[in-house]
Amino acid sequence: MELIRAEALSVGAGRRPVAEGIGFALAPGGILAVLGPNGAGKTTLFRTLLGLLAPHGGAVHLGGQPLGGLSRARIARHLAYVPQAMDVPFPYTVADYVLAGRSARLGPFAAPGRRDAARAAAALEELGIASLARHPVTRLSGGERQLAMIARALAQDAPALILDEPASALDFGNRERLAELLSGLAARGYGLVFSSHDPAFAVRLADRILAIGRDGRAAAGPARDMTTDARLGALYGLSAGAVRRARGG
Amino acid sequence: MMPLSTRFSAGERRAVPPVLWAGLLLAAALVAAVLTGPFALSPGRILELAAARIAGQETPGAEAAVLFGIRLPRVAAAALAGAALATAGAAYQVTFRNPLVSPDILGVSAGAGLGAVLGIFLGLPVLAIQGLSFGFGLATVALVMAVAAAMGGRGETLTLVLCGMAIGALAGAGIALMKALADPDDQLPAMTFWLLGSLAGIRPGDVLLALPPMLAGLVPLVLLRWRTGLLAMGEDEARALGIETGRLRWMVIASATLITAAAVAAAGTIGWIGLMVPHMARLLAGSRFDRVLPVALLLGAALMVAIDTAARSLAATELPLGVLTAAIGAPVFLVLLARRGRGWS
C-alpha cells in the first residue's frame, strides 16, 4: 500500500504556486529526500501534504484516499509531522510534550490516559531519552529537542513521518545518530519524507530524491541519478565543476 | 536547582497534588473571610445559623441578615470573580501562546467599563448597570473579532490583539468622556470606584445572576481542556496533531470572554488576577492546560477572597480591589519571576 502519493502537484502559500510538477509515491520502508535551494518550496510542500495548505493543482492521496476528504484527526493518524524547530511558549516537560502526539486518538472531550502515557514513555525509550522525561523542553540541547520532536511523532502511531530539515540544527555527532535513527525507522516499516540542505546527507539515507529547482520545477528519481554533479549544479545554480570541488572530488 | 515546574509537573510520584494545595488555600481563605467583618460573628454562631438555614428553619435577627444577606454573598462573589478571571486568563494565555496576555486583551474590560460608566451616567439602577456592563463587554469583543475577521486570515492572532487594543482604546476614550461629563459629587466617585473594582454593594441576587454565564463559559473550557492546551503548540502543529483549530480557538475565546464579562459586570474592573494567577498555577501544576485550569480556578478564588477580605477590613473605609490586587500582585509576580530564574521559559 502506498502511504503518500502526489501527482502533478503544485503548491504555494500565496496566489501563485512556488513549486510545480511534483510527483512521487512513498511506500512503507521508503525514504524520500526533498532537495532544493532556499525558498524553493520544501516546507510549503510539506504543509500541503499535511493538508495545512490547499494544493494549487494536482492531487495528494494518503493511504489511497484523497487528502481533501480526510478529517484533521484522520490525517494525523496517518502522517506525523516533525517541524524544523520546536516553538513552545511554556516549559512543558518532555513527557508532556510527547504526550501531545496522542491527541488524534482521543475523543473530543478526553484527556490522555494511562495507555497514552505508556505509549509516550515507550517513544522516549525508543529514542533513548527516557531519562529526560521530566525535563522542561525549553532547556534541552538542539539534538535533544530534535529527538523529543521525533518521539512526539512516533507517539502519534502514524505509518508515515514528514521531517522538515531534521539535520539542520545538529552537530556532527547528532547528525550521525539521526541518520542511524532514520534508517532504523525505515527498516521497521515507517515511510519517511525529509528535506535537507545537504545532498550528501540526503543521498546517504534516501532511496529516492525529489529535487525542486529555483524555477519551481520539480523532478523525482532514484537518489544516485538525482545527485550527479551536473544535476546538483543545475539545482543550486553552480557549475558541475564547482559541485565536484565542493564534494572534494 | 530544579525549577518548581519540573518538580511538580510530571505527575505520578508527587506527594500532594497541586489541586489539593489550591483547594486547601481556598478553604482557608473562605473560612477567614466568613469570620472577618465589622459585625462580629463567632464560628459557633455561624455554624448554628447555617445549620438552621439548611434545616429550613426561620433565621430572624441581625446576625442572620448580615451573614446571609451581606457576608456570604460577598465572599461567594469574590470567589466566583477570582475563579472566573483566573480561568479566563489561563485560557487566553494558551490560546494566544503568550504568558503576558490577560483576559481583557480583546477589550472586554474596557467595553464593560464603558457600559457601567454609561449606566451610572444615565442614573440607571444597579441591575441595569450590570446588564449594560455585561452587554458592552461581550459586544466589544464581538466587534474586535468581527473587525479582525474582516481584515483576513493572515497573522490572525496579531491582528486580533491589535484590533483589541484599538477598540479598547476607543472604549477608554468613551469612559474618559463620561467621567468628564459626570456629576463630580455623585456620579464621578461611583464611576471611579466601579472602574477600580468593588464587591461592596453585592447582594445574593447578583451572585445568582453572574453564575449562569460563568458556568456557560467554564463548561466548554473544562470539556475542551486537552485540545485547548494544544493551541499553545501553534496553529500548524496543533492542526498536524489532528486538531481542528479554527473552531476550537473561537470557542475558547468566546467562553473565556463570557466568563470575564460576567465577573467584570459583577465586580468591576479588577486587574492582575487574570494575568498573575495562571502563572502561579503553572508553577504549581506544570504547563499542561488540563492541569493548570483547575488549579488556576481554585487559586484565583482563594486570592480574590483573601484580597476582598483585606479590602473590607484593613481600613475604616472600603479599599478598591484593583488597588489591592496591584499592590499585592505586582510584588508577588516579581518574586515568582525571580525564583523562576530564566524569565518566561
Side-chain angles (χ1 to χ4, degrees), chain B residues 108 111-112 132-144 254 257-259 261-262:
Chain B
V108 61
L132 215 53
S133 162
F134 182 66
F136 266 62
L138 291 186
T140 305
V141 175
L143 181 66
V144 167
T257 301
L258 195 63
I259 296 174

Side-chain angles (χ1 to χ4, degrees), chain A residues 8-228:
Chain A
L9 184 66
S10 53
V11 301
R15 294 218 174 130
R16 282 197 298 168
V18 293
E20 292 175 293
I22 298 164
F24 67 87
L26 183 75
I31 304 185
L32 174 80
V34 182
L35 288 181
N38 291 327
K42 301 186 289 286
T43 300
T44 308
L45 167 64
F46 290 171
R47 294 185 66 210
T48 308
L49 295 177
L50 288 156
L52 303 175
L53 273 180
H56 276 259
V60 179
H61 286 79
L62 296 185
Q65 311 245 28
L67 176 64
L70 298 176
S71 70
R72 289 249 53 94
R74 294 259 327 254
I75 296 172
R77 288 197 288 268
H78 191 80
L79 200 55
Y81 177 48
V82 179
Q84 192 170 352
M86 186 187 283
D87 173 24
V88 291
F90 304 112
Y92 295 95
T93 62
V94 172
D96 287 345
Y97 181 84
V98 172
L99 201 54
R102 301 300 298 162
S103 302
R105 301 186 178 269
L106 301 173
F109 301 142
R114 200 166 293 187
R115 251 189 224 172
D116 299 300
R119 178 66 190 94
L124 290 177
E125 200 76 54
E126 248 174 290
L127 296 189
I129 49 171
S131 63
L132 296 177
R134 294 171 145 226
H135 283 245
V137 287
T138 41
R139 299 204 181 172
L140 299 178
S141 71
E144 290 166 344
R145 278 183 187 214
Q146 190 67 51
L147 292 176
M149 291 193 289
I150 295 175
R152 187 179 73 176
L154 293 187
Q156 217 164 311
D157 277 334
L161 264 57
I162 289 186
L163 306 95
D164 196 352
E165 303 277 1
S168 64
L170 302 184
D171 63 25
F172 180 72
N174 279 322
R175 249 166 89 116
E176 290 309 299
R177 278 185 279 276
L178 175 75
E180 210 168 293
L181 170 68
L182 293 184
S183 42
L185 289 175
R188 284 166 44 200
Y190 284 97
L192 306 178
V193 180
F194 72 95
S195 58
S196 177
H197 277 307
D198 181 358
F201 184 77
V203 77
R204 254 181 67 195
L205 277 172
D207 39 42
R208 292 183 75 79
I209 280 178
L210 175 76
I212 306 177
R214 273 181 303 182
D215 57 359
R217 296 200 174 276
R224 292 280 157 208
D225 303 351
M226 296 299 293
T227 50
T228 58

